[in-house]
Amino acid sequence: MNGIVFRNAVISAANNMLKEKHTVDDLNIFPVPDGDTGTNMSMTIGAAARVLRETPENENIAQVSKQVASAMLRGARGNSGVIISLLFKGIAKGFEDKETVTTADLANALQLGVEAAYDAVAKPTEGTILTVARLSALKAKECAEAEKSIEETFEEVYKAAEATLKTTPDLLPVLKRAGVVDSGGKGLCVIYEGMLSVIKSGQIFDAEDTQPVLNPIDETNYVSAVAEFDDVINFTYCTEFIVGKDIPCKLKIKHLRSALEKLGDCVVVVEDDEIIKVHVHTDKPGIALQHGLDYGQLLTVKVENMKEQHRRAEEAAGIVKDKEAEEKQSELDDEFETAEPVDEVGFVAVTAGEGVSNLFKDLGCNNTVSGGQSMNPSTENIMRAVLSTGARNVFVLPNNKNIIMAAQQVVPLVDDRNVIILPTKTIPQGMSAMLSYDPDLTVEGNIEIMTSAAADVDTGQVTFAARDSEFGSTKIKENDIIALENGKLLFTEKTPERAVLKLIKGMVSKETAFITIIYGEDTPSEKAEAVNAQICAKYPGIDITLVNGGQPIYYYIVSVE
């Protein structure tokens, strides 16, 4: 298998994942409206597909797989997105320094991906995407030992993934009770299915149709397939140029790359002894070229308007873009400018809602990243916020269990400051951690007390059921008001207000000193104030705070300390 086959296989997988993402989303077993596994996986592999549009045709499989792994890692969203990015990171490691790969190389690469994914999960759970990846990689090893072809092997890998997926309910009782298979495992099967179509038949899956494109792959079909993918164009001009190096130039190429990353995205800078080849998407191509002139003479220049090209491609192909994913990407892609790390300590928090964001800024956060349930930020979103925090030590508060892994991937990507990920799973945990920060302590001391403070917080949430479901003796219907404590479903109620009052009553103890009630964008202020008044009257000795958080999905978030 060579570079172009692997490139087309990834694009086919991204198209298939985009098409099937809602099917994967709907496999979410919990009734809380956060079923975004398919969306996260689609946006993660989609980040690779966008980069591959600019991949030179003559790149070998080592170069292509490295670009894929880098793009997926930076674009990883949610735990499922991080896991598939790590699977492809392992694949890139297995393909390192290779022009083409054999069946043995493929089997080794898949195994390296499985090891990377398992290592990243603190407590790996079988019956999930990890099991699907592990057993399908094992099948690849068996095929390699039997000296089967790449085509035969990947077909067996896909079949093994599908067979393993069917067994996930037997491995995880919660899946069996819900009558579904694991959503992440299903997503991996969708990705493998898209790749198999190219590896076996040379056909790229279309992003809309359930059948693969029937024309053989050539340059024209490759461009068409990329155009069909849900591409988010953040900058207008695709700018490419080659610089002939000036012998006296002592500047390092990493400084050129850093300067271009401040101007746009999709930055690729490669060099040899004589030239530097540059690619960047930017709104300021002239400034990009000026940076290149610092290193030598411009030998070639190409600037293309991507938005106009994309519009024409859509008109020609009749493509319907995935507006939902585009809007979500736009919401999450906050613009941050890199700041020099001059202060000792800085803070970044992931927040949902303007009120919650302002609250964290009041508590001392330098930057906030928009995200939460159903809109997980990518690793790159978080990394941008870290780089724009001018501190040598940057504490990151994910404030959501499904964002912690994506945040952890930032650590090896940033080399000019120390990044500390505090494992805060909820907004209240993040607030408590911020309040416990002591400027007189060392970084290590603050890690200890902030982590401890977060762990001591009980979090209550009131939201609505996204689907019919059944948990134990509790039968839930779609749109029922549901209450959760520390992520555990407790009961249903007729109104959010009745639910939050009952929830707080069950959470308060003799040791309770503080209650914080954060109400969301769908909660009228007068109703929230009425709840606050009742709580204040019932618990006169407790310090009670009401905050307009403006968060989506949750009518109320409650912190009890």
Side-chain angles (χ1 to χ4, degrees):
M1 181 166 59
N2 60 24
I4 192 168
V5 171
F6 186 72
R7 177 182 63 181
N8 290 338
V10 172
I11 291 170
S12 180
N15 284 348
N16 204 32
M17 192 67 242
L18 174 62
K19 178 184 60 185
E20 298 292 339
K21 70 175 186 176
H22 293 302
T23 300
V24 177
D25 284 343
D26 289 342
L27 291 174
N28 181 53
I29 59 174
F30 210 48
V32 175
D34 64 350
D36 52 3
T37 299
T39 298
N40 284 337
M41 296 180 79
S42 177
M43 297 183 81
T44 299
I45 195 168
R50 286 192 291 276
V51 170
L52 292 180
R53 182 173 66 176
E54 303 298 334
T55 300
E57 294 179 20
N58 60 350
E59 287 199 344
N60 59 40
I61 199 165
Q63 294 167 322
V64 174
S65 62
K66 184 177 180 180
Q67 286 189 348
V68 168
S70 176
M72 288 181 69
L73 180 60
R74 291 171 180 269
R77 296 174 187 269
N79 294 344
S80 54
V82 172
I83 287 173
I84 62 166
S85 75
L86 291 171
L87 292 174
F88 276 85
K89 181 180 180 181
I91 289 173
K93 185 177 180 181
F95 290 172
E96 196 171 25
D97 299 326
K98 298 185 183 299
E99 291 284 337
T100 60
V101 295
T102 63
T103 301
D105 294 328
L106 175 62
N108 178 57
L110 291 174
Q111 181 57 37
L112 290 173
V114 168
E115 292 171 2
Y118 268 85
D119 287 344
V121 179
K123 296 180 179 179
T125 301
E126 296 302 332
T128 66
I129 182 176
L130 294 173
T131 309
V132 176
R134 178 173 60 82
L135 294 184
S136 56
L138 184 62
K139 176 58 69 173
K141 181 180 178 182
E142 294 174 1
C143 290
E145 292 172 348
E147 298 184 350
K148 292 187 177 182
S149 67
I150 285 280
E151 294 80 7
E152 292 173 316
T153 298
F154 208 88
E155 184 169 17
E156 289 297 317
V157 166
Y158 170 64
K159 288 180 179 179
E162 283 281 318
T164 304
L165 178 67
K166 293 178 181 178
T167 70
T168 56
D170 297 324
L171 298 172
L172 269 182
V174 68
L175 295 175
K176 177 164 283 189
R177 288 197 299 269
V180 297
V181 294
D182 178 66
S183 57
K186 173 63 176 178
L188 184 60
C189 289
V190 169
I191 288 172
Y192 282 171
E193 180 184 30
M195 295 180 72
L196 176 63
S197 180
V198 170
I199 294 170
K200 181 181 178 182
S201 307
Q203 298 170 346
I204 297 177
F205 263 111
D206 184 86
E208 298 175 56
D209 202 311
T210 56
Q211 297 299 319
V213 179
L214 297 180
N215 298 322
I217 297 174
D218 59 24
E219 181 181 356
T220 303
N221 290 331
Y222 166 67
V223 173
S224 175
V226 174
E228 289 166 2
F229 182 71
D230 172 33
D231 191 12
V232 179
I233 302 175
N234 295 314
F235 299 92
T236 304
Y237 300 101
C238 174
T239 305
E240 296 179 315
F241 56 90
I242 295 177
V243 176
K245 289 184 178 179
D246 283 345
I247 294 177
C249 181
K250 301 296 183 181
L251 297 173
K252 295 183 178 180
I253 193 172
K254 68 177 183 179
H255 297 309
L256 175 58
R257 184 180 292 109
S258 177
L260 294 173
E261 286 174 345
K262 295 177 182 178
L263 291 178
D265 60 13
C266 296
V267 176
V268 179
V269 181
V270 294
E271 67 173 337
D272 59 20
D273 293 338
E274 298 179 352
I275 66 167
I276 302 172
K277 187 173 182 180
V278 174
H279 169 273
V280 60
H281 293 174
T282 179
D283 289 331
K284 300 175 181 178
I287 297 178
L289 294 173
Q290 189 61 51
H291 283 304
L293 286 170
D294 292 338
Y295 292 76
Q297 297 181 353
L298 294 174
L299 302 181
T300 64
V301 175
K302 184 176 73 170
V303 179
E304 296 179 328
N305 187 318
M306 295 186 295
K307 291 182 179 178
E308 180 63 17
Q309 286 183 327
H310 198 69
R311 183 188 65 78
R312 291 176 179 175
E314 284 182 324
E315 290 179 352
I319 296 167
V320 178
K321 295 182 66 178
D322 189 330
K323 294 297 183 184
E324 179 184 342
E326 182 177 12
E327 289 170 2
K328 182 177 287 189
Q329 173 78 27
S330 178
E331 290 173 2
L332 295 177
D333 279 341
D334 299 313
E335 290 299 325
F336 297 104
E337 292 189 4
T338 301
E340 291 298 319
V342 293
D343 297 332
E344 183 63 24
V345 175
F347 301 91
V348 171
V350 180
T351 63
E354 184 178 356
V356 174
S357 178
N358 291 335
L359 180 60
F360 272 89
K361 289 178 181 178
D362 290 342
L363 292 173
C365 275
N366 303 75
N367 290 294
T368 60
V369 180
S370 178
Q373 297 298 79
S374 80
M375 49 183 221
N376 300 151
S378 69
T379 295
E380 185 167 13
N381 293 138
I382 301 170
M383 183 180 71
R384 288 178 182 175
V386 167
L387 292 175
S388 71
T389 302
R392 290 183 288 274
N393 299 281
V394 182
F395 287 85
V396 178
L397 295 87
N399 299 332
N400 186 292
K401 66 179 181 180
N402 202 35
I403 297 174
I404 293 174
M405 283 187 68
Q408 289 170 339
Q409 306 313 306
V410 173
V411 177
L413 297 177
V414 176
D415 56 12
D416 66 342
R417 60 203 80 191
N418 179 34
V419 182
I420 304 106
I421 311 299
L422 296 176
T424 53
K425 298 179 180 179
T426 65
I427 292 295
Q429 284 190 354
M431 290 167 51
S432 182
M434 286 299 302
L435 285 166
S436 68
Y437 172 73
D438 187 344
D440 294 328
L441 291 179
T442 63
V443 169
E444 291 72 21
N446 272 301
I447 292 173
E448 183 176 347
I449 65 166
M450 293 175 76
T451 302
S452 177
D456 289 340
V457 177
D458 286 328
T459 300
Q461 298 164 313
V462 176
T463 184
F464 62 92
R467 59 184 58 81
D468 293 345
S469 58
E470 185 173 339
F471 282 81
S473 60
T474 305
K475 292 186 177 181
I476 301 171
K477 293 184 178 180
E478 184 177 353
N479 294 321
D480 276 355
I481 302 302
I482 56 177
L484 307 96
E485 181 179 353
N486 297 326
K488 181 181 179 181
L489 178 68
L490 295 184
F491 56 83
T492 63
E493 260 296 353
K494 293 183 179 180
T495 70
E497 286 64 44
R498 290 179 62 171
V500 74
L501 289 169
K502 183 176 178 180
L503 180 62
I504 293 173
K505 180 180 179 181
M507 295 175 67
V508 170
S509 68
K510 293 180 180 180
E511 290 75 33
T512 300
F514 303 96
I515 299 175
T516 303
I517 305 169
I518 306 171
Y519 64 96
E521 63 181 1
D522 295 323
T523 302
S525 59
E526 59 271 18
K527 290 189 176 183
E529 290 165 1
V531 166
N532 184 59
Q534 290 186 60
I535 297 299
C536 289
K538 188 173 181 63
Y539 306 105
I542 297 177
D543 188 346
I544 299 168
T545 304
L546 179 68
V547 177
N548 181 358
Q551 71 272 8
I553 298 178
Y554 293 100
Y555 300 109
Y556 293 96
I557 298 175
V558 177
S559 168
V560 175
E561 300 179 67

